[in-house]
């Protein structure tokens, strides 16, 4: 596996809409493995393909809990419910944190690395992470949704909760 360089804002690729994946081959499997390793190494909970310079609808999310590694290929949010406001960061924006409003609960249709269609329901922080990554695939950055930027002190206050 390999650690890939992470694209930083203001690289233009971060604001472009990605193309759908049509080839579910060995290269895709390797890419997903490398994206996961890159995300772990960078201490993140999610990573989208544009963040490694690829304009494809591919993202990984891993909260390091019982939900496991979630591989999102061509994902679409098909249902959403409720609302949550909480702190968010992004590997492409070091040191930037802010409060972002998201749906509390979502249902997503996506494909796995073999191209099989599946559906996943998520709520709370997992739903937040998935919404953040799907936004990336549509060229939408979390900074466009920040209602309040957080200082280091405010962020630590959140983490102690
Ligand atoms: Co991000």
């Amino acid at each position: 596996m390999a650690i890939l360089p992470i694209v930083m804002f203001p690289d233009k690729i971060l604001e472009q809409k990605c193309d759908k994946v049509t080839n579910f081959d060995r290269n895709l499997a390797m890419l997903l493995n490398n994206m996961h390793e890159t995300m772990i190494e960078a201490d993140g909970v999610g990573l989208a393909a544009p963040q490694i310079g690829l304009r494809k609808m591919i993202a990984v999310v891993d909260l390091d809990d019982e939900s496991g590694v979630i591989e999102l290929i061509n994902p679409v949010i098909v249902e959403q419910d409720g609302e949550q406001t909480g702190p968010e960061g992004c590997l492409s924006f070091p040191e930037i944190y802010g409060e972002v409003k998201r749906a509390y609960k979502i249902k997503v249709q996506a494909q796995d690395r073999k191209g099989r269609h599946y559906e996943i329901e998520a709520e709370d922080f997992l739903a937040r992470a998935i919404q953040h990554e799907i936004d990336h695939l549509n060229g939408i950055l979390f900074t466009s949704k920040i209602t309040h930027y957080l200082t280091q002190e405010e962020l630590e206050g959140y983490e102690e909760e």
Side-chain angles (χ1 to χ4, degrees), residues 20-29 56 58 73 113:
K20 282 185 86 171
V21 173
T22 51
N23 286 334
F24 295 84
D25 55 12
R26 235 184 122 246
N27 288 333
L28 176 65
K56 289 275 183 190
I58 304 166
I73 300 162
R113 58 170 66 196

Side-chain angles (χ1 to χ4, degrees), residues 118-158:
Y118 72 96
E119 207 168 78
I120 183 174
E121 286 187 344
E123 55 183 52
D124 207 346
F125 188 65
L126 181 60
R128 170 178 298 283
I130 292 173
Q131 287 171 86
H132 178 113
E133 298 314 324
I134 292 178
D135 269 355
H136 269 300
L137 304 182
N138 292 306
I140 298 164
L141 298 172
F142 85 122
T143 44
S144 72
K145 296 187 169 179
I146 289 179
T147 49
H148 171 67
Y149 281 86
L150 294 167
T151 62
Q152 198 58 42
E153 221 172 27
E154 287 172 313
L155 184 70
E156 280 161 16
Y158 261 113

Side-chain angles (χ1 to χ4, degrees), residues 8-26:
M8 295 295 158
F9 182 81
D11 194 304
K12 282 284 162 243
I13 196 169
L14 294 173
E15 293 179 272
Q16 291 169 10
K17 199 168 163 22
C18 295
D19 294 327
K20 282 185 86 171
V21 173
T22 51
N23 286 334
F24 295 84
D25 55 12
R26 235 184 122 246

